[in-house]
Amino acid sequence: MKRGLVFTVILALFVALAGCGGKSSEQSAGNGEGKKKVVVGTDASFAPFEYMDKGKIVGFDVDFLDAVMKEAGLEYELKNIGWDPLFAAVQGKEVDLAISGITINDKRKQTYDFSVPYFESTHMIMVKEDSPIKNALDLKGKVVGVQNGTTGQAAVEKLLGAENKNIKKFENTVVAIMDLLNGGVDAVVTDNAVANEYVKNNPDKKLKAIEDPTNFESEFYGLMFPKGSDLKPKVDEAIKKVIESGKYAEIYKKWFGNEPNVDNLVK
Ligand code: ARG
């Protein structure tokens, strides 16, 4: 009887200690007891979707993920692991899924599974206010910055040619925008919400964001899973509920200030 108690205390201590090793860039939600946590990866350099604020990962995606995981009854932790490593981490199942403003496309679908779409996007061109660039065709002959491995890169390659030396690829979108401010590139092509938010929130930087619906297509974001993940059906159900219940609109308004058009998401 007594021995049993001692053993229980030692076991409890061990479990408590084992739980203390989290890195600073990890965030947990839920009561932390019982079930195995779902590990979610992101690249937190893509405001307003995911970015670091006072040591925490915040953004539209972060709030949306939280609503979806609560709806699905899943405990999770969110890890900031960077854009290129994210794809390898999902493929190698080091994370259970990724949320990172990731566009669903046929190429990625060959390697990964995606949730139902949760956000509609297109590309925009960020330039200095006094730039002569007016549309996507004006990018010819200009040095254009993109985040490596994004659909922005693909969009610019389609316009300028994949081998074009004028396409400068950056590890993340923050450094691409820094290079634009420093005059290293003439333009940055990135997702419209990211371009718009940056321009609006940084008036001192004197940048503008240009749309071009003729040359840039519409695309949709999804959560990305390893192929065959059994989480997908559960998460899809939860996403639909979050959108239909109005929770999605609430989160959208918090980050974008207006009502979303969800007609294209859940049909
Ligand atoms: N939507 C684009 C893509 O999927 C860019 C996403 C970049 N996201 C990020 N967190 N850096 O390629």
Side-chain angles (χ1 to χ4, degrees), residues 165-235:
K165 294 277 177 296
N166 282 336
I167 305 173
K168 247 176 124 175
K169 297 165 201 130
F170 295 88
E171 185 190 342
N172 63 53
T173 301
V174 172
V175 288
I177 297 172
M178 289 305 143
D179 207 48
L180 173 64
L181 296 172
N182 293 334
V185 294
D186 300 308
V188 166
V189 172
T190 186
D191 296 27
N192 60 333
V194 172
N196 277 329
E197 287 293 303
Y198 188 89
V199 169
K200 193 174 88 194
N201 295 332
N202 299 278
D204 55 309
K205 300 289 196 293
K206 297 198 180 338
L207 294 181
K208 63 183 174 186
I210 305 167
E211 57 183 1
D212 186 340
T214 331
N215 290 295
F216 293 134
E217 287 163 14
S218 161
E219 42 182 60
F220 290 92
Y221 296 167
L223 274 57
M224 190 172 80
F225 305 89
K227 262 233 174 299
S229 164
D230 51 13
L231 280 174
K232 178 182 150 57
K234 231 187 232 178
V235 170

Side-chain angles (χ1 to χ4, degrees), residues 3 21 49 54 115-116 126 178 184 199 222 228-229 231 237 259 263:
R3 233 206 249 152
F49 293 101
K54 301 182 194 86
S115 70
V116 291
M126 298 175 75
M178 289 305 143
V199 169
S229 164
L231 280 174
E237 267 321 295
E259 288 283 343
D263 293 350

Side-chain angles (χ1 to χ4, degrees), residues 4 8 18 26 43 48 62 87 100 108 125 144 154 181 200 206 209 214 256:
T8 311
E26 294 173 12
D43 166 35
V62 179
F87 287 81
S100 216
R108 289 175 181 162
I125 308 161
V144 185
L181 296 172
K200 193 174 88 194
K206 297 198 180 338
T214 331
F256 298 103

